[in-house]
């Protein structure tokens, strides 16, 4: 027990108010980090960001009201992003969820003949995915036909090493480059 003389001052700190819905993109590719912003709610000192499902990515907070999500490369689907204000009394109510669709990268692989003769034509393909577009790059030869499709014909030039690679862009706008076929 203790006796006190004088006046005690008690400060009442309210829990944070409910947070507002975060702002951010509606869709992205799983290799592109996404930036979200939210207002700091009344009585909130910091923000707590949550992903549902949590396995979709990791959240970093470069500023008080901004979060950057680095997506899990294996994740594809819809993610709910919410935010809550925090102070020493606890957490406020979670915001309404912001939904973002995370699209997978295409995985093109160029295939075809790897041993050709000078001035010989050869066909090279990648799997055709509905709605995707394709851009081929060839060294040591010239594309005779098929640029923009999943199959090209190459006329090979002088003896030496040549390469073939293809970039696929999906209907969601996600782009990836194949390994080079030598």
């Amino acid at each position: 027990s203790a006796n006190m003389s004088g006046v005690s001052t008690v400060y009442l700190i309210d829990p944070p108010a409910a947070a507002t819905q975060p702002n951010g993109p509606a869709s992205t590719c799983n290799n592109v980090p996404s930036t979200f912003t939210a207002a700091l709610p009344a009585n909130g000192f910091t923000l707590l960001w949550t992903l549902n499902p949590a396995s979709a990515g990791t959240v970093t907070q470069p500023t008080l009201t901004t979060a950057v999500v680095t997506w899990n490369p294996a994740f594809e689907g819809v993610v709910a992003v919410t935010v809550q204000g925090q102070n020493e009394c606890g957490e406020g109510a979670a915001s309404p969820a912001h939904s973002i669709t995370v699209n997978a990268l295409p995985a093109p692989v160029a295939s075809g003949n790897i041993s050709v003769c000078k001035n010989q034509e050869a066909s090279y393909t990648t799997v055709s995915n509905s709605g995707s577009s394709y851009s081929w790059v060839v060294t040591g030869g010239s594309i005779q036909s098929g640029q923009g499709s999943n199959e090209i014909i190459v006329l090979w030039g002088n003896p030496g090493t040549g390469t073939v690679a293809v970039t696929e862009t999906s209907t969601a706008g996600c782009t990836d480059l194949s390994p080079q076929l030598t």
Side-chain angles (χ1 to χ4, degrees):
S1 69
N3 291 326
M4 183 180 122
S5 61
V7 176
S8 174
T9 304
V10 176
Y11 294 96
L12 177 62
I13 300 173
D14 291 323
T20 58
Q21 185 176 33
N23 295 311
S27 68
T28 191
C29 302
N30 62 7
N31 69 330
V32 178
S34 299
T35 301
F36 298 90
T37 59
L40 191 63
N43 301 319
F45 297 157
T46 61
L47 291 174
L48 172 65
W49 295 85
T50 305
L51 301 178
N52 187 11
S55 63
T58 56
V59 179
T60 56
Q61 197 169 349
T63 69
L64 183 62
T65 58
T66 303
V68 175
V69 177
T70 302
W71 303 107
N72 178 341
F75 182 81
E76 173 182 12
V78 177
V79 178
V81 180
T82 57
V83 66
Q84 295 171 270
Q86 290 181 311
N87 66 20
E88 63 264 78
C89 293
E91 299 166 358
S95 68
H98 173 85
S99 291
I100 180 169
T101 302
V102 180
N103 299 291
L105 289 179
V109 175
S111 61
N113 196 344
I114 60 170
S115 180
V116 294
C117 297
K118 179 180 179 178
N119 296 323
Q120 179 182 1
E121 286 188 343
S123 174
Y124 297 88
T125 62
T126 189
V127 173
S128 177
N129 292 308
S130 180
S132 285
S133 62
Y134 304 90
S135 178
W136 294 85
V137 176
V138 174
T139 60
S142 59
I143 298 172
Q144 300 300 295
S145 64
Q147 182 64 280
S149 71
N150 73 307
E151 181 176 3
I152 59 169
I153 304 294
V154 175
L155 175 61
W156 291 103
N158 291 325
T161 301
T163 61
V164 176
V166 61
T167 299
E168 180 179 353
T169 303
S170 70
T171 56
C174 299
T175 300
D176 202 14
L177 175 66
S178 73
Q180 283 190 344
L181 178 66
T182 303

